Amino acid sequence: MTDLNHVIEIGRLTRDISERDFGYTTGGTARLNLSIAVNRSEKRNGAWQDKVSYFDVTVWGKTAENIKAYLHRGKQIAIDGYLDQQRWEKDGVKYSKVVIIADSVQLLGGNENGQQSAPQAQQPAGDYQPAGSGDDFPEDIPF
C-alpha cells in the first residue's frame, strides 16, 4: 500500500502579503509564504465554540506570481497540497516545523462587485522547488 500525504484547507489569510513574504530563489523560482486561519466549531461544556487553527503555506512558481496581487488579510482561499516537515539547525539548535506546500490555490469569495477575483491557480508540473531542497533554505523563510 502506498502512503498518502494530501491536505485540503479553506481558510482566511492572517495578514497582507508583504515584500518579505514573496521572493525568488537564487535559481529564479518564485516563492510565496502565507498564513491562513481555519475556523471550526466544537462543543465544549454543552455550548458550541469556535476553535481557530493557523497554518503556514508555501506557494511556488507561476502560481505564486499569479495570485500574490489578489491576496489581502481576511481573503478566503482554498489550498490543495501536501504537508512538508522542514528541519534545520542553527547555532547548534535543531528546529522543525510542518508547512503546507500548495499544489493549487483557489481564491474564494468575490471582489467589491460580487464577481470572482481571479481563477484557480494550479501549479504546473515541475514548476516548484520543495522546501529544503536547495536555494535559500531555511534562513530566509520569514515566519
Side-chain angles (χ1 to χ4, degrees):
M1 171 165 256
T2 303
D3 296 337
L4 178 65
N5 180 356
H6 185 229
V7 62
I8 298 172
E9 294 288 342
I10 296 176
R12 296 190 181 274
L13 290 172
T14 62
R15 65 182 184 271
D16 288 332
I17 301 301
S18 70
E19 288 182 23
R20 137 178 206 228
D21 297 316
F22 179 81
Y24 292 89
T25 65
T26 55
T29 302
R31 182 185 66 219
L32 173 65
N33 294 324
L34 53 96
S35 178
I36 61 172
V38 178
N39 295 303
R40 70 183 204 105
S41 294
E42 59 183 36
K43 205 168 198 176
R44 287 190 222 154
N45 300 324
W48 288 99
Q49 296 180 354
D50 285 336
K51 179 179 180 185
V52 182
S53 296
Y54 298 94
F55 299 99
D56 292 332
V57 180
T58 301
V59 185
W60 289 99
K62 294 291 183 194
T63 302
E65 292 175 328
N66 292 337
I67 67 168
K68 70 179 173 134
Y70 299 100
L71 301 178
H72 55 84
R73 185 176 187 264
K75 178 70 177 167
Q76 189 177 44
I77 61 174
I79 303 288
D80 188 336
Y82 62 93
L83 299 176
D84 182 48
Q85 184 176 21
Q86 300 174 347
R87 298 180 185 123
W88 68 98
E89 187 174 326
K90 186 174 182 180
D91 299 327
V93 178
K94 293 182 180 183
Y95 297 90
S96 173
K97 73 176 184 174
V98 175
V99 300
I100 299 171
I101 305 297
D103 289 324
S104 67
V105 177
Q106 185 171 359
L107 306 176
L108 304 176
N111 58 21
E112 296 82 42
N113 300 328
Q115 298 173 351
Q116 185 69 15
S117 298
Q120 175 176 337
Q122 185 151 353
Q123 190 78 18
D127 191 30
Y128 71 97
Q129 178 177 355
S133 67
D135 299 334
D136 302 329
F137 181 77
E139 280 73 25
D140 68 342
I141 296 179
F143 289 105

